[in-house]
């Protein structure tokens, strides 16, 4: 796949970054998106009747290091998903296809702050993200769309090969729409 990564050092303390890439995969998971928690997600090779799934990524960001021990990074991204697979919820007959081709996308921004002063390391990050899928002209928010995510981490080098760390993770709720009816 073609990929391009660019980094421009404006000053010793400021870097501008950009990347672009086209990615493809020939395997997919088969899972029911209506399930709140999926206990098992089998992976299969994408059937021959569907085109290969592709994604085009666009990323831009900057890195600022105002002090020797302090670094701030931010990135914005957009991912266009092409020919991703989806379970055919409208399958009625044996000859109907099990999977459909869908489109989608994901976009958002990420922020990260790192502070390190031996023997300690502190990291904090926040991401704001959106994801969507389009199947048969219907646009919806898939179950893996998580709007807010916060990660805090504290680590210490205790010496003689020993390290200790603690992490706190917060994620906003996943999208959920209660089923009001179903016809087989």
């Amino acid at each position: 796949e073609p990929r391009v990564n660019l980094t421009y050092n404006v000053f010793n303390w400021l870097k501008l970054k950009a990347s672009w890439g086209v990615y493809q995969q020939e395997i997919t998971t088969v899972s029911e998106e209506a399930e709140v928690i999926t206990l098992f997600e089998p992976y299969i090779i994408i059937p021959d009747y569907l085109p290969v799934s592709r994604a085009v990524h666009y990323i831009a960001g900057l890195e600022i290091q105002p002090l020797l021990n302090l670094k701030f990074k931010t990135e914005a991204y957009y991912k266009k998903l092409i020919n991703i697979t989806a379970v055919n919820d409208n399958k009625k007959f044996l000859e109907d296809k099990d999977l459909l081709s869908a489109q989608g996308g994901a976009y958002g921004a990420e922020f990260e702050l790192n502070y390190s002063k031996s023997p300690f390391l502190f990291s904090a990050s926040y991401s704001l993200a959106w994801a969507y899928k389009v199947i048969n002209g219907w646009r919806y928010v898939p179950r893996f769309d998580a709007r807010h995510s916060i990660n805090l981490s504290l680590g210490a080098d205790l010496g003689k090969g020993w390290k200790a760390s603690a992490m706190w993770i917060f994620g906003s709720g996943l999208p959920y729409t209660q089923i009001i009816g179903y016809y087989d």
Side-chain angles (χ1 to χ4, degrees):
E1 301 92 28
R3 299 177 189 167
V4 177
N5 292 311
L6 302 170
T7 300
Y8 178 66
N9 293 329
V10 179
F11 303 108
N12 288 341
W13 54 271
L14 175 64
K15 294 179 184 176
L16 300 178
K17 297 181 174 187
S19 62
W20 171 85
V22 178
Y23 305 88
Q24 70 179 31
Q25 70 180 38
E26 297 181 14
I27 62 170
T28 187
T29 60
V30 180
S31 61
E32 178 59 48
E33 288 196 44
E35 294 177 0
V36 178
I37 298 173
T38 303
L39 298 176
F40 178 65
E41 287 195 23
Y43 282 82
I44 64 167
I45 296 172
I46 295 175
D48 291 336
Y49 63 84
L50 289 176
V52 173
S53 296
R54 292 186 317 134
V56 182
H57 295 202
Y58 304 91
I59 303 169
L62 61 93
E63 184 176 307
I64 301 170
Q65 189 168 1
L67 303 171
L68 182 62
N69 301 333
L70 184 67
K71 187 183 290 185
F72 174 75
K73 295 187 249 182
T74 184
E75 287 185 349
Y77 66 90
Y78 176 74
K79 298 177 183 183
K80 181 178 176 142
L81 306 172
I82 305 160
N83 299 324
I84 55 177
T85 57
V87 174
N88 184 1
D89 289 331
N90 294 322
K91 181 176 179 168
K92 295 181 181 90
F93 304 106
L94 191 57
E95 59 272 3
D96 290 344
K97 305 291 186 196
D98 293 322
L99 301 173
L100 299 172
S101 182
Q103 310 302 317
Y107 55 95
E110 298 177 353
F111 307 91
E112 183 179 348
L113 180 68
N114 292 307
Y115 178 76
S116 63
K117 182 157 178 137
S118 186
F120 299 104
L121 171 66
F122 172 75
S123 173
S125 65
Y126 170 73
S127 67
L128 177 62
W130 290 267
Y132 66 92
K133 271 187 171 180
V134 180
I135 300 175
N136 293 330
W138 291 90
R139 181 180 168 135
Y140 70 96
V141 177
R143 68 184 165 120
F144 50 81
D145 178 68
R147 189 74 62 238
H148 304 279
S149 178
I150 299 171
N151 296 305
L152 300 175
S153 149
L154 179 62
D157 187 349
L158 304 176
K160 295 186 180 181
W162 287 89
K163 294 184 180 184
S165 63
M167 180 176 275
W168 180 76
I169 300 171
F170 170 81
S172 62
L174 300 175
Y176 173 73
T177 303
Q178 186 172 350
I179 297 172
I180 59 172
Y182 184 80
Y183 294 97
D184 191 9

